[in-house]
Amino acid sequence: MGFWLLGVAACTAFLWAVRDRAHEAHMALAYLLLVLGGSARHGRWVGLVLAVASFLTFNLFLLPPYYTFAIEDPLDWWVLVAFLVTGLVSAQLFHRTQSALESAETRAREVERLGALGAQSLSVPRAVDAVAAIARVIRSELPVASAGIVMLDAGTGDSLLTVEAPEPGDDVPAPAIHAAAREGRIVLLHRDGSERVADAGAGLTPLLAGGATWVAALVPLRVRERNLGVLRLADPGGLRLDHAQAVFADTLSYYAALAVERVRLTAEAEHVEALREADRLKDALLASVSHDLRTPLTTIRALASELRETGDERSAVIEEEAERLNRLVTDLLDLSRIRGGALPLEPQVIAAEDLVGAMLQRLGGVPGAERVEVRLPSDGSLPVGRFDFVHALRALGNLVENALRHSPEGGEVRLDVREERDELVFAVLDRGPGVPAADRERMFEPFFHSGDGGRAGDGTGLGLAIARDVAEAQGGSVRYRPRPGGGSEFELRLPRETIEGLG
């Protein structure tokens, strides 16, 4: 300031020496240069002081009558007022320009820091390392003694891991952390132990104003309405964040929430991959064991045949149980092939009547098969589909056998055949106990038996699973719905084929 006032004095001395030859406008421009230079260098207040000082010295020393504040020529008032207004406006405009420039530079630095933060969180190999990197950035960018991110178990709300742990003596009570996470609200802690809880929607800015000395702030980390953890900011001397820093802290908390979400998704992906690998190993084991069982089963059946020739009645039991075990092995092998994508398919154009006839013939030795009532389209049309005959026969047979197994003695079992748009539908209906609502999500899983009180022990629990997988492998499906009046309705849907001249 003193330097620029000396500049005003020097300018006044020079102009005083040439005042008889200089025009008032020239003098005003010389002073205006000083005002602009001071405003650009030191800001608005220096510019304002220089404008007022130049106005006074201009009037006092350079405009007649000299050494008084009176004005001889009324037009000189216009020069003085124009100079003063120009100086004041120039100082204010310089101030606004500098403020805008500083704000832009601040935003640019924040964007650069956020970009670096995003790069760090994406470049680290482990998701937990990304959380630690963000915690270090938060601690370095904000005037706080410590910053930590607490990741919580989404199910229980208990803390699982804290990265960038607080400094010694700066511990935050676990109940406060859990409260912030469960309620999704900001918790401020005073040095006397008192707390203030506020809605997280407004952010930290209004909470840190007002002069209260808060030593810690707990900001909930949320992504898609899910509470993932807590950002912990603490300083024993008190949190002192201005408006821009509080806004920046809110932005950083969102980055922290995304990093914690990455940890959660990574853990879920690892769990899913482990389940997928376990399922693959299970299928491989079933296929291997099933294949290896074929040889001893063949031997057992041969020995049973020899026993039958000797008149031993136990041979019939052995043969029956060996056949049952053989069906189980066959089912396991087929299920493994289907799940492994190795099921051989030979789609052909086949009439629905042929499939139903083959299915009834296959059920000839099944108890209760005579109760199956078949209903074909009443209009005399011949429904035709395109599918693999052998595998479709097995799927339909499994559904009918399942209906017979769960129907009461003498109960109705019906097979309806119809066409729906581009699908050929085989609906199997029974009057059994139906499938409980709790079991309908799992009823097509291998080895699953519904707790409906039916004769579930008569089956292996593979029939429905094989029927569905076989249908889906051919572009069809198997659906279930409760039958009105009690019972179940299973629908085998296969691709329909339209033949010219047949409808």
Side-chain angles (χ1 to χ4, degrees):
M1 176 69 77
F3 171 79
W4 291 98
L5 290 177
L6 288 176
V8 172
C11 182
T12 302
F14 172 76
L15 293 175
W16 181 82
V18 297
R19 65 185 177 182
D20 294 333
R21 300 188 302 274
H23 192 272
E24 289 83 353
H26 300 156
M27 300 178 187
L29 288 176
Y31 281 120
L32 187 59
L33 289 175
L34 283 172
V35 174
L36 295 178
S39 299
R41 182 66 177 174
H42 297 290
R44 174 176 53 182
W45 292 109
V46 171
L48 295 177
V49 171
L50 292 177
V52 173
S54 299
F55 173 83
L56 295 176
T57 56
F58 191 5
N59 186 6
L60 188 62
F61 296 105
L62 302 178
L63 294 178
Y66 303 119
Y67 314 119
T68 68
F69 290 108
I71 299 296
E72 181 179 292
D73 187 354
L75 292 177
D76 290 342
W77 277 111
W78 170 250
V79 175
L80 279 175
V81 172
F83 163 74
L84 181 61
V85 172
T86 302
L88 296 177
V89 171
S90 299
Q92 182 65 22
L93 291 178
F94 265 111
H95 171 70
R96 290 186 178 181
T97 302
Q98 288 178 334
S99 298
L101 179 60
E102 292 175 356
S103 178
E105 290 177 347
T106 300
R107 299 287 84 77
R109 288 194 297 270
E110 290 181 357
V111 171
E112 183 179 354
R113 290 197 294 266
L114 290 175
L117 180 60
Q120 288 185 13
S121 62
L122 292 175
S123 61
V124 294
R126 297 194 311 151
V128 175
D129 294 337
V131 178
I134 291 177
R136 288 193 295 270
V137 171
I138 294 175
R139 187 172 182 178
S140 63
E141 295 294 338
L142 297 178
V144 296
S146 62
I149 298 175
V150 182
M151 292 178 287
L152 304 178
D153 184 348
T156 63
D158 296 329
S159 59
L160 294 178
L161 178 65
T162 302
V163 294
E164 292 296 298
E167 300 292 338
D170 187 29
D171 195 15
V172 176
I177 294 178
H178 293 161
R182 285 194 300 269
E183 299 176 9
R185 307 180 72 185
I186 296 176
V187 178
L188 299 180
L189 302 177
H190 198 273
R191 57 168 47 96
D192 62 4
S194 60
E195 298 181 1
R196 178 185 175 186
V197 180
D199 185 18
L204 286 171
T205 305
L207 300 178
L208 297 179
T213 304
W214 306 104
V215 297
L218 303 175
V219 183
L221 304 178
R222 295 170 58 85
V223 174
R224 296 191 294 271
E225 303 303 320
R226 180 195 295 267
N227 293 327
L228 301 174
V230 174
L231 170 63
R232 194 198 114 282
L233 304 175
D235 196 319
L239 296 175
R240 296 178 176 86
L241 303 181
D242 58 25
H243 177 81
Q245 291 169 336
V247 172
F248 192 47
D250 291 329
T251 303
L252 292 175
S253 68
Y254 182 69
Y255 270 82
L258 292 179
V260 176
E261 176 73 350
R262 179 186 170 189
V263 172
R264 186 186 68 83
L265 293 177
T266 300
E268 287 188 358
E270 292 175 350
H271 179 64
V272 170
E273 183 60 28
L275 291 178
R276 184 181 293 111
E277 180 65 16
D279 191 61
R280 187 188 66 80
L281 292 175
K282 178 201 68 177
D283 291 341
L285 179 62
L286 286 176
S288 177
V289 171
S290 301
H291 185 272
D292 291 342
L293 284 174
R294 283 296 180 89
T295 299
L297 278 175
T298 302
T299 304
I300 292 173
R301 295 173 69 180
L303 293 176
S305 178
E306 293 180 4
L307 285 175
R308 185 175 66 250
E309 294 177 358
T310 63
D312 194 331
E313 297 180 355
R314 291 175 296 177
S315 62
V317 177
I318 296 175
E319 287 183 331
E320 181 180 348
E321 293 301 321
E323 180 60 28
R324 180 180 178 186
L325 185 57
N326 184 63
R327 289 196 301 269
L328 174 59
V329 170
T330 301
D331 287 344
L332 288 174
L333 281 173
D334 288 346
L335 188 63
S336 299
R337 292 193 189 102
I338 296 171
R339 296 290 172 89
L343 183 69
L345 293 174
E346 296 181 3
Q348 299 176 358
V349 177
I350 299 172
E353 188 175 356
D354 292 340
L355 181 65
V356 172
M359 184 273 301
L360 293 176
Q361 185 177 4
R362 172 186 170 183
L363 294 178
V366 177
E370 67 281 356
R371 294 189 283 121
V372 179
E373 177 186 356
V374 178
R375 294 185 181 181
L376 297 172
S378 58
D379 58 2
S381 61
L382 181 63
V384 177
R386 178 175 289 275
F387 47 83
D388 184 288
F389 182 82
V390 174
H391 295 301
L393 174 62
R394 187 169 188 190
L396 182 59
N398 286 354
L399 295 181
V400 175
E401 287 185 27
N402 180 75
L404 291 172
R405 186 179 304 114
H406 291 85
S407 296
E409 294 292 340
E412 173 195 11
V413 175
R414 199 174 81 215
L415 173 59
D416 293 347
V417 181
R418 63 180 183 273
E419 294 175 305
E420 290 185 5
R421 294 182 297 277
D422 57 349
E423 290 183 320
L424 186 59
V425 182
F426 300 86
V428 181
L429 304 91
D430 65 61
R431 287 299 181 186
V435 180
D439 295 339
R440 292 172 190 170
E441 293 293 329
R442 301 181 54 208
M443 60 189 301
F444 291 104
E445 295 179 3
F447 305 107
F448 178 75
H449 292 285
S450 176
D452 57 8
R455 300 186 305 278
D458 295 344
T460 63
L462 294 175
L464 293 180
I466 291 176
R468 184 191 63 176
D469 290 354
V470 163
E472 291 178 351
Q474 301 183 78
S477 63
V478 173
R479 302 178 184 177
Y480 167 83
R481 62 186 175 195
R483 185 182 181 186
S488 300
E489 180 177 351
F490 286 89
E491 292 182 348
L492 170 64
R493 293 174 174 263
L494 296 172
R496 178 190 173 199
E497 182 74 10
T498 300
I499 301 178
E500 294 294 334
L502 294 179

